[in-house]
Structures are given as structure tokens and as C-alpha cells.
Amino acid sequence: MAQWTFLTNHAHVLLCVAANPQILLRDVATLVGVTERAAQRIVSELEQEGYLTRERVGRRNTYRLNPDRPLRHPLDRDHHIGELLAIFSASDAAEHAPTAA
């Protein structure tokens, strides 16, 4: 049976960058499960469409997301990536929150 997920590789790259704006593309590729070349292509596409900006700081890149950019699919255009990022940030925070004793 084929493997599939609800989120695209582009969404996974956005989530990686949101979690760590100075992440190495090698690490993004490993986390997303794509080649480093594919991670570079995805970041370039996201940058071209204004979803993120890349700034060189010393020897590393720092990424800044534009949370006001709309999702691309016609069914989702009324929502922006900031909403997607907020959902996953909230679930990450809840997962790591201390439990009441």
C-alpha cells in the first residue's frame, strides 16, 4: 500500500522552518524525508511565492515566514499559513506541557 500524509512536503518544510528559523537544509531534508536537493527546491519555491524570506547571517541562512500568505488550494484560500502554524505550535506546546499531578 502506498504511503501518504495529510500535509505536503511544502507544509512540512514550513513547519520545520517555523520551529527553527536557522535550521540547516540537510536537517530539513532528514525530518521531512526528502533529499537535500528537494528541500532546497521547496525552500526556493516558498521564497519565490513570498511564503518565506531567506537571509544570510554569517555562514548560515535564517528564514522568516510570512504568516499572512494564503494557502494555495482554491478550497483553502480563505485561510493563511499563520493559522496552520498556530495549530501545530499549539499542539506542540500541549504535548510538552507539564501534566497536573
Side-chain angles (χ1 to χ4, degrees):
M1 181 187 281
Q3 294 289 327
W4 63 273
T5 64
F6 282 102
L7 298 179
T8 66
N9 289 340
H10 285 69
H12 287 127
V13 169
L14 280 173
L15 293 171
C16 289
V17 170
N20 180 0
Q22 294 182 326
I23 193 167
L24 298 173
L25 285 180
R26 175 179 357 123
D27 297 334
V28 170
T30 299
L31 290 168
V32 175
V34 297
T35 64
E36 190 170 344
R37 182 76 179 127
Q40 290 171 341
R41 180 184 50 79
I42 291 169
V43 165
S44 291
E45 290 171 354
L46 292 169
E47 186 176 26
Q48 287 172 357
E49 294 295 322
Y51 288 92
L52 64 79
T53 57
R54 184 179 359 195
E55 179 183 344
R56 192 80 172 166
V57 177
R59 295 178 50 200
R60 298 191 68 166
N61 287 324
T62 298
Y63 303 96
R64 189 173 328 118
L65 300 179
N66 180 355
D68 297 326
R69 294 289 297 156
L71 296 175
R72 290 176 47 99
H73 193 279
L75 292 174
D76 306 324
R77 288 187 194 256
D78 292 341
H79 299 280
H80 49 82
I81 66 165
E83 294 174 70
L84 179 70
L85 298 171
I87 290 167
F88 282 90
S89 295
S91 67
D92 288 346
E95 182 178 307
H96 294 93
T99 56

